[in-house]
Amino acid sequence: MQTLVTEIITKAALAAGLPEGRVINQVASDNLTLDRPRLELQFLPETWRRTGRTLAFERTGAERIRKRELYEVDLSVVANILAEDDAWLADFKYAFIAALPRGVNDKRGNWVRVRAEKATFGKAPDNRVGDEIIEVFHYINELFDLSFTWRVTAEEIETLIPHFTIKTSME
């Protein structure tokens, strides 16, 4: 699922104007050799809830197929947008959220819901010497909490009686 989530976020980031190849996994510390702007992803633990709901019935000839939801899974992803320019970040973050789809279907045909939960703006505090601000590097970031929800499903096939004969006489 992390591959699908990375694809969704990468498509939205490219559509919003991030250069190609700038969506990466989170690095241990801020590396000055990595180009900005970039988007770093951190995957948090998944939450699994057992449900057992019946989603659909389908009858084909002598079989009845029941599709059941076994689990509902939530995955939280932290997307950290690192930039050098305040104006670029302000434009990018709105375009990024607007480019995120409401949801997509995974390879099994199950719906994956995409939601942006919250955003946190970050800027390093000013380094001051008296009244002067010393600014060596001007870096800002926006931290988005994204939520992806999907299902784990299974199909149960039940064989029905294809035909039967009723005898009317007791001979």
Side-chain angles (χ1 to χ4, degrees), residues 6-40:
T6 304
E7 288 175 12
I8 293 168
I9 293 173
T10 302
K11 285 180 186 177
L14 293 176
L18 189 70
E20 185 78 32
R22 300 277 181 95
V23 177
I24 61 174
N25 286 331
Q26 182 183 22
V27 295
S29 62
D30 192 9
N31 190 341
L32 296 176
T33 61
L34 294 175
D35 292 329
R36 285 182 184 236
R38 70 177 181 270
L39 194 145
E40 295 181 354

Side-chain angles (χ1 to χ4, degrees), residues 69-102:
E69 175 187 66
L70 302 176
Y71 288 93
E72 186 177 66
V73 185
D74 289 325
L75 172 64
S76 294
V77 178
V78 176
N80 191 6
I81 303 166
L82 300 151
E84 296 175 340
D85 184 17
D86 293 337
W88 182 89
L89 182 61
D91 292 338
F92 177 80
K93 70 180 179 181
Y94 290 113
F96 173 67
I97 293 300
L100 280 175
R102 188 168 176 234

Side-chain angles (χ1 to χ4, degrees), residues 98-116:
L100 280 175
R102 188 168 176 234
V104 296
N105 287 330
D106 65 2
K107 65 182 178 183
R108 293 173 203 90
N110 295 322
W111 182 251
V112 178
R113 186 180 69 192
V114 180
R115 297 182 76 184

